[in-house]
Amino acid sequence: MKKPKSIEDYLESVPEDRAAALEKLRAQIHKAVSGLEECISYNMPAFRLEGRVIAGFLATRKGCSYYPFSGQTLATLKKDVAKYEGTSGALHFDPERGLPATLVKKLLKTRIAEER
């Protein structure tokens, strides 16, 4: 897959179920934090706040993943993300279930606090 030029380009290139889940996540991210700039970072749809990338997402073979662009965020919210699979830098989720808006907001607020 070639490098997407925008989040729209990226979403058009992934399976429909994952695109729908990621579009919903995109809306949740924008609702949770105002003033975000959409971008592509490391070939991934991402969101910048005040010049710093604070979130991103990808469709994967098995589902979807949320990336806080920090090795600390998911560890800080260990109890909140315990029911999800993932790595130190990615939270994996089922596209049919998505991520709860309250968790998305908490992930973003925690990530933003790390930068201050």
Side-chain angles (χ1 to χ4, degrees):
M1 178 163 121
K2 66 180 183 173
K3 181 178 177 175
K5 292 184 170 129
S6 67
I7 291 180
E8 285 82 15
D9 283 349
Y10 178 79
L11 292 174
E12 289 174 6
S13 72
V14 301
E16 194 174 314
D17 66 328
R18 289 165 183 81
L22 294 175
E23 186 61 56
K24 180 179 177 185
L25 177 58
R26 179 187 192 187
Q28 290 173 318
I29 290 169
H30 278 293
K31 186 175 181 181
V33 180
S34 61
L36 292 177
E37 174 190 351
E38 293 189 348
C39 62
I40 301 296
S41 183
Y42 297 98
N43 290 329
M44 175 188 313
F47 302 85
R48 265 193 207 110
L49 181 65
E50 299 169 359
R52 304 278 248 196
V53 178
I54 62 162
F57 57 67
L58 284 176
T60 64
R61 218 170 11 109
K62 294 181 179 180
C64 297
S65 294
Y66 172 90
Y67 296 83
F69 279 81
S70 163
Q72 186 178 339
T73 304
L74 298 177
T76 300
L77 298 175
K78 190 169 141 178
K79 289 180 183 176
D80 297 281
V81 300
K83 69 179 185 177
Y84 299 94
E85 291 187 27
T87 65
S88 63
L91 183 66
H92 308 306
F93 63 96
D94 182 318
E96 293 215 5
R97 286 191 224 115
L99 292 174
T102 54
L103 177 58
V104 172
K105 188 173 185 173
K106 199 172 217 183
L107 286 161
L108 290 162
K109 296 297 181 187
T110 301
R111 175 67 179 101
I112 292 165
E114 291 171 5
E115 292 294 325
R116 302 207 166 160

